[in-house]
Amino acid sequence: MSYPPELDSWTATLTSALRLDGTGVDIPGVLDLAGDAAHAVARPAAPLTTYLVGVAVGRGTSFADAVATVARLTAQSAA
């Protein structure tokens, strides 16, 4: 997925301001995650989903596992 180049600088600025330097951010992965939630559930589910995945990752769940959980749940919603 391509994304606006401004997201790179915004991510760098925000991670620095939040003292998350050195945190790798999978921008396309996060955008795909938000898109899946928005399309499978409702548009407002996108920021809520990405926030909750961030909380889960902060508590030790891998990003890949959290994304897999969202994918499973959104697939069930679409069915």
Side-chain angles (χ1 to χ4, degrees):
M1 161 186 242
S2 68
Y3 57 88
E6 297 86 2
L7 291 183
D8 288 321
S9 63
W10 171 245
T11 300
T13 298
L14 188 56
T15 55
S16 178
L18 294 174
R19 297 183 178 147
L20 298 172
D21 296 320
T23 302
V25 179
D26 179 358
I27 295 173
V30 172
L31 296 177
D32 287 343
L33 174 68
D36 290 346
H39 294 295
V41 182
R43 287 189 70 171
L48 180 60
T49 301
T50 55
Y51 170 77
L52 292 173
V53 165
V55 170
V57 170
R59 291 185 176 176
T61 302
S62 74
F63 181 67
D65 286 346
V67 168
T69 298
V70 171
R72 180 177 47 79
L73 293 172
T74 56
Q76 290 173 358
S77 290

